[in-house]
Amino acid sequence: MNEIDPATVPRSTVRQLGAVLWPSFIAALVATALFFAVVDPLKLAAISLPQQPIGRGLGYTLGFALLWLATAAASSFTTLLLRPRRDDRAQDLYE
């Protein structure tokens, strides 16, 4: 019987987004908790953007968003590197 190799089956865009965004969300949660356990967002705002009135809530939100963006970019890059080459996929279809 001809078995299907899961590595050769193309994944849907939703599954790929889920595979990138969910782990990066968890990583950003952990990184945010560790970062803001040490750094006060008000002091960080005073150093980085002294003219902008940024409160603690907005500081936590911006910090989490930036960390999520960074971890999602790293996960996306890993996903890109793990994709099979086009000629490998085409060859697998003809075998």
Side-chain angles (χ1 to χ4, degrees), residues 14-94:
V14 173
R15 282 188 75 186
Q16 286 180 338
L17 279 173
V20 168
L21 294 178
W22 183 244
S24 63
F25 179 80
I26 299 299
L29 283 176
V30 172
T32 301
L34 293 174
F35 181 76
F36 286 119
V38 178
V39 177
D40 182 15
L42 292 179
K43 290 183 180 178
L44 184 61
I47 293 170
S48 58
L49 300 167
Q51 296 85 10
Q52 301 296 323
I54 296 177
R56 275 198 174 89
L58 182 58
Y60 290 133
T61 302
L62 290 175
F64 173 75
L66 290 174
L67 286 167
W68 193 8
L69 181 66
T71 54
S75 295
S76 297
F77 189 63
T78 301
T79 301
L80 178 70
L81 291 176
L82 290 176
R83 285 190 345 194
R85 295 185 327 203
R86 284 187 189 173
D87 56 344
D88 288 346
R89 284 184 283 183
Q91 185 177 11
D92 287 341
L93 292 175
Y94 294 115

